[in-house]
Amino acid sequence: MSTILVTGASGQIGSELVRELQQRVGISSVISTDIKPLPLENGTIFKKLDVLDRRKFEELVREYHVEEIYHLAAILSAAAEKNPILAWNINMTGTLNVLDVARVCGVSKVFIPSSIAAFGPSTPLDHTPQTTIQRPNAIYGITKVAGELLGDYYVEKMGVDCRGVRYPGIISYLTPPGGGTTDYAIDMFVSALRKEPYTCYLSPDTSLDMMYMPDALRACIQLMDADSTSLLHHNAFNVTAFQLTPARLAAAIQEYIPSFVCAFESDPVRQAIADSWPNSMDDQAARTEWGWEPRFDLDSMVQDMLQQLPAHLSLF
Ligand code: AKB
């Protein structure tokens, strides 16, 4: 069985990916790392690791004979605008450390996610193609484009099998997201279930691609399992499940919780970021090359969130 190391294991995606990987390869074969401790359950192996600490990173990879790395540690879009230098360091130097440690240690596969943030205002925002103009104007997106190119560079020039998808906003109920522009979707569920009104920081008609966590995990694992000979791309596959606006989500929640009240008051920073991201991505390359297909649409996601989130509400 291969040993897998996950960075950012305490975060929104990392914490759920760790559970999924543990089920696949066994608890003792997954090394969770983060600067923030993970609630330790069922023998989970946790190591405190700052992705900027290359020496410690390399020591861990050698000590555990790591064969795959899933690199989830990142500063998200809204948080990155507040501290661009930190975002550059974590998102760029962290990614470079992952790729280069993978190279020197002979790690067989690396997953590094990109994001819809890798696009910008001059990108065609409807049916955004796999290959198109990428000139993002927020620091998170700038690091994501550079990370995509760095991943390709390590594939082509260094022989590291690095793979990745461009994640849309991810909706989930186990671990709160932190510092993203798409976080409003989760905040809305939390307020509705707490019977509190919610004021959304994006305008009601702001369209963004979104995905439910089970699909986000499947996308990652399916791409990592794909036969490399079927891959024309390696990094930065567009993947999406449905398009959401704050108004559409509020209405979908109100079908189940009619008393839910949602107001709208745009925050200029997050609104500008959201306006520069695609309304809807074309994910045909992922569908053709490795069989990507989402299972959750807006309605099934809303139903499942409203069933699952109440048990975890105290964490939000
Ligand atoms: C964010 O909003 O920053 C993230 C993302 C789309 O990458 N959820």
Side-chain angles (χ1 to χ4, degrees):
M1 261 315 158
S2 54
T3 303
I4 296 175
L5 184 143
V6 179
T7 72
S10 304
Q12 183 198 10
I13 302 179
S15 58
E16 297 209 36
L17 184 64
V18 163
R19 291 172 188 222
E20 189 73 27
L21 293 170
Q22 284 174 334
Q23 275 171 19
R24 282 169 62 94
V25 299
I27 289 176
S28 58
S29 296
V30 181
I31 318 300
S32 300
T33 72
D34 205 307
I35 46 169
K36 204 171 83 191
L38 190 70
L40 290 185
E41 325 166 303
N42 317 322
T44 293
I45 302 172
F46 176 79
K47 298 284 166 187
K48 191 163 185 219
L49 175 70
D50 179 346
V51 287
L52 299 180
D53 188 346
R54 188 199 145 119
R55 179 151 16 127
K56 183 160 179 200
F57 198 169
E58 188 172 331
E59 274 168 19
L60 274 179
V61 169
R62 290 195 189 281
E63 180 186 344
Y64 286 95
H65 306 287
V66 169
E67 284 155 77
E68 291 184 14
I69 300 175
Y70 291 71
H71 177 45
L72 279 311
I75 306 282
L76 297 187
S77 55
E81 286 305 289
K82 288 191 188 137
N83 197 340
I85 305 295
L86 177 75
W88 178 268
N89 286 336
I90 301 287
N91 296 2
M92 289 317 315
T93 308
T95 298
L96 183 61
N97 285 346
V98 168
L99 285 165
D100 214 55
V101 166
R103 177 184 68 82
V104 297
C105 297
V107 170
S108 60
K109 274 187 215 167
V110 180
F111 178 80
I112 302 181
S114 183
S115 158
I116 48 173
F119 299 114
S122 50
T123 299
L125 297 184
D126 292 304
H127 311 294
T128 304
Q130 175 65 40
T131 304
T132 185
I133 300 165
Q134 288 183 265
R135 295 190 58 79
N137 56 4
I139 191 71
Y140 174 64
I142 293 168
T143 66
K144 283 296 167 187
V145 180
E148 291 180 0
L149 296 173
L150 200 58
D152 282 344
Y153 182 81
Y154 268 77
V155 171
E156 282 164 30
K157 303 277 170 59
M158 308 287 184
V160 174
D161 186 353
C162 176
R163 305 179 183 194
V165 296
R166 290 185 182 127
Y167 274 134
I170 307 295
I171 301 174
S172 66
Y173 55 81
L174 268 186
T175 305
T181 300
T182 57
D183 299 359
Y184 83 82
I186 299 174
D187 298 345
M188 224 184 247
F189 281 101
V190 171
S191 296
L193 285 166
R194 288 194 177 134
K195 310 276 181 234
E196 290 168 357
Y198 177 67
T199 302
C200 183
Y201 53 77
L202 295 182
S203 65
D205 54 352
T206 308
S207 178
L208 292 169
D209 286 286
M210 295 271 182
M211 184 180 289
Y212 197 31
M213 182 63 89
D215 279 333
L217 299 179
R218 256 182 350 95
C220 163
I221 284 169
Q222 215 176 317
L223 172 59
M224 289 296 268
D225 281 349
D227 185 341
S228 64
T229 57
S230 67
L231 299 180
L232 300 175
H233 303 83
H234 273 262
N235 292 289
F237 280 96
N238 284 0
V239 286
T240 185
F242 47 86
Q243 285 70 48
L244 200 57
T245 65
R248 209 176 295 149
L249 180 59
I253 294 174
Q254 280 157 351
E255 283 192 25
Y256 298 89
I257 308 177
S259 60
F260 174 51
V261 175
C262 187
F264 300 92
E265 206 175 294
S266 290
D267 162 52
V269 173
R270 283 175 289 185
Q271 187 67 54
I273 293 175
D275 288 344
S276 75
W277 290 354
N279 302 323
S280 64
M281 278 189 293
D282 175 352
D283 59 5
Q284 198 54 49
R287 289 173 185 262
T288 309
E289 291 179 40
W290 47 276
W292 161 245
E293 199 179 347
R295 293 196 182 144
F296 283 86
D297 61 11
L298 172 59
D299 288 339
S300 48
M301 177 278 293
V302 169
Q303 281 180 34
D304 203 59
M305 275 295 279
L306 291 173
Q307 266 173 24
Q308 307 291 346
L309 182 56
H312 306 280
L313 213 47
S314 62
L315 300 172
F316 286 79

